[in-house]
Amino acid sequence: MKKRRYVLLLTALLMVAVQLRAQHGTEAANGIKFFKGTFSEALAQAKKENKLVFVDFYAVWCVPCKKMAKTVFTQDEVGKYFNEHFINLQLDAEKGENVEIAKNYKVAAYPTVAFISSDGKALSVNTGAMDKDELMEAAKIAAGESVSFEELYNKYKADNNDLDVQQQLLLKAPSFLQAQEGMDADKWVTRLQKLYKSYVAAKAPLKLINENDYRIILTLEGDEDKEHKQYMIDLMNDHLDDWMKALGNAPAYYIVEANDIFAEDLAKDGNVKYKDYVEKVKSQYAKAYEVVGLTGITPYEKAKLYFDALFNLYKNKDVSGYVSAMETYFGKMEKNLRSADYGKAAQNLYMAAGKSLKAKDHEVAIKWAEKALAQEEAVMDRVNYMVMIGDSYRELKNYTKSREFYNQGFAESLRLENMEMPQAMLQGAIKQKLATLDLLEK
């Protein structure tokens, strides 16, 4: 019986090992074959075989990393090309020496895939999940089988009216920009923003309705030039049926997100013009907001409740009115709620009212932040909620609970080991708060 239990345990452990291996997409029979060695060993092997290095920078908690590894790296076409042209390497960017390697290649989010020459020079660095076609195109550019960004830019300078060349150039811009540094990066950002705006103007309104141009808009529009972003969402909205026929619901979500951001910024500034954007929810952008699919509340009711409450809080510092309005909001939203809704509600209390919060307000903030924390997985947000809860307990003079949450936040921040600057700033702030507690407890 004892031997049988041992065999069963060994089998279970082997099954777990297989599952863990599968979770980060180790290669299928015909997929990418990954090099079993260090980064420096991969560079040496690439030099020996006269190949480039392909690196998949991932984090064990990254769901898009796992999906890409499972659904893209395992495809026959991908495996055939990558195994022939590259030494392929997967690096957990939050582990050991890989942290510094990731930092050297400016890896700031996951997944990030990089194509690197055998001397260690980055040829392209690509952030975000990629489908098969996007990955193959990036690989062929790196291998010299597709036109590079620099070659396209020279073609553009020779004929700045060729929209096909401009489209190819703008599609390649994000990965090219990520590989640039310092003044070169700033110079290229300025150039490409100017090109992007002239390209959009030349193709608007109907010739932009395709997958490639939508991808360009998503990556290059940004939030700095609000006037141009308003132009873009109105352009999409005016032809939303065509956009949705070509690309599904994505363009509608783009309009919704942009309009909500405009309304929120104005409400927080105490500017009554936020109401214009709230009204657009049921008028100009009504069709776009239909995709949100709320239950028990209309998009307009949701927007009016939330943004009216936000305006009242920031403009009038009416904390009790805000708390009452948000409790009504949570009640009407019910199953539509996400962790971020509770977290933002608590954070707005701190940001708008700060030291004027009363004991009962801190108790509400703790309740909301704890609800957010229970559902949140992102490390930065979790640390933020823990610190907020610690701050409220400090104001309530419950220093034991305050210290508990500050310490939890510090421990959680250790998971940011590949993000040295944010980690250092968070830990420094938490240490200061702990030091303040020491003084208060004396």
Side-chain angles (χ1 to χ4, degrees), residues 80-300:
K80 185 175 185 297
Y81 191 85
F82 275 69
N83 296 335
E84 180 181 344
H85 291 84
F86 306 102
I87 300 299
N88 305 295
L89 185 67
Q90 287 180 307
L91 292 181
D92 179 347
E94 296 185 339
K95 184 178 180 181
E97 67 177 12
N98 299 342
V99 174
E100 192 63 28
I101 295 168
K103 181 181 176 182
N104 289 341
Y105 292 100
K106 298 191 291 185
V107 176
Y110 308 109
T112 290
V113 298
F115 296 90
I116 299 168
S117 62
S118 60
D119 63 1
K121 181 182 178 182
L123 302 176
S124 72
V125 180
N126 308 267
T127 299
M130 306 171 80
D131 61 24
K132 184 201 76 172
D133 293 337
E134 291 168 335
L135 184 64
M136 288 293 290
E137 172 65 10
K140 288 178 180 178
I141 292 170
E145 295 181 6
S146 185
V147 181
S148 70
F149 181 90
E150 290 88 343
E151 291 171 316
L152 279 171
Y153 192 73
N154 288 334
K155 283 187 177 183
Y156 161 68
K157 288 197 297 183
D159 180 5
N160 59 15
N161 293 315
D162 190 330
L163 293 176
D164 288 337
V165 169
Q166 291 181 37
Q167 184 189 65
Q168 293 178 60
L169 191 62
L170 292 170
L171 284 168
K172 296 179 191 296
S175 60
F176 172 80
L177 285 173
Q178 193 163 350
Q180 306 308 304
E181 296 181 353
M183 293 182 65
D184 280 342
D186 294 339
K187 175 183 68 178
W188 279 110
V189 166
T190 301
R191 285 177 179 173
L192 290 168
Q193 276 295 311
K194 184 178 179 180
L195 171 58
Y196 162 70
K197 289 176 181 178
S198 66
Y199 173 79
V200 166
K203 294 189 74 172
L206 299 179
K207 290 183 180 179
L208 284 170
I209 305 174
N210 61 80
E211 185 175 345
N212 283 333
D213 284 335
Y214 183 64
R215 189 182 306 159
I216 289 170
I217 292 166
L218 285 182
T219 55
L220 296 179
E221 179 57 41
D223 296 315
E224 295 79 12
D225 188 340
K226 292 186 177 181
E227 184 177 345
H228 193 268
K229 186 150 191 172
Q230 184 68 67
Y231 164 74
M232 285 306 309
I233 65 173
D234 287 341
L235 191 70
M236 282 188 189
N237 192 67
D238 289 344
H239 303 277
L240 188 57
D241 286 337
D242 294 323
W243 277 96
M244 292 178 71
K245 183 178 179 180
L247 295 160
N249 289 339
Y253 280 114
Y254 183 85
I255 293 168
V256 168
E257 182 180 357
N259 190 64
D260 284 352
I261 289 172
F262 285 140
E264 183 164 351
D265 287 346
L266 288 168
K268 286 182 176 180
D269 286 342
N271 189 329
V272 294
K273 288 186 178 180
Y274 82 93
K275 293 183 178 181
D276 296 340
Y277 293 90
V278 172
E279 290 304 307
K280 288 180 180 182
V281 174
K282 68 174 182 179
S283 56
Q284 186 177 353
Y285 301 148
K287 186 175 184 62
Y289 274 87
E290 288 176 6
V291 304
V292 178
L294 297 175
T295 302
I297 187 171
T298 68
Y300 175 71

Side-chain angles (χ1 to χ4, degrees), residues 341-358:
D341 294 315
Y342 287 110
K344 284 176 68 177
Q347 190 161 20
N348 282 320
L349 271 178
Y350 293 113
M351 292 177 66
K355 293 292 184 181
S356 65
L357 293 178
K358 299 176 182 178

Side-chain angles (χ1 to χ4, degrees), residues 372-404:
L373 185 59
Q375 303 172 47
E376 187 59 67
E377 295 183 2
V379 176
M380 290 285 283
D381 289 332
R382 286 181 60 80
V383 174
N384 186 36
Y385 298 150
M386 289 170 183
V387 170
M388 286 196 298
I389 295 170
D391 286 348
S392 277
Y393 275 123
R394 184 191 64 202
E395 294 304 313
L396 292 171
K397 294 183 169 48
N398 189 337
Y399 301 137
T400 300
K401 293 292 288 184
S402 179
R403 184 178 299 280
E404 175 187 329

Side-chain angles (χ1 to χ4, degrees), residues 427-441:
Q427 291 179 349
I430 294 172
K431 285 178 180 178
Q432 277 193 321
K433 291 176 181 292
L434 286 166
T436 300
L437 276 186
D438 290 338
L439 294 173
L440 290 171
E441 289 175 319

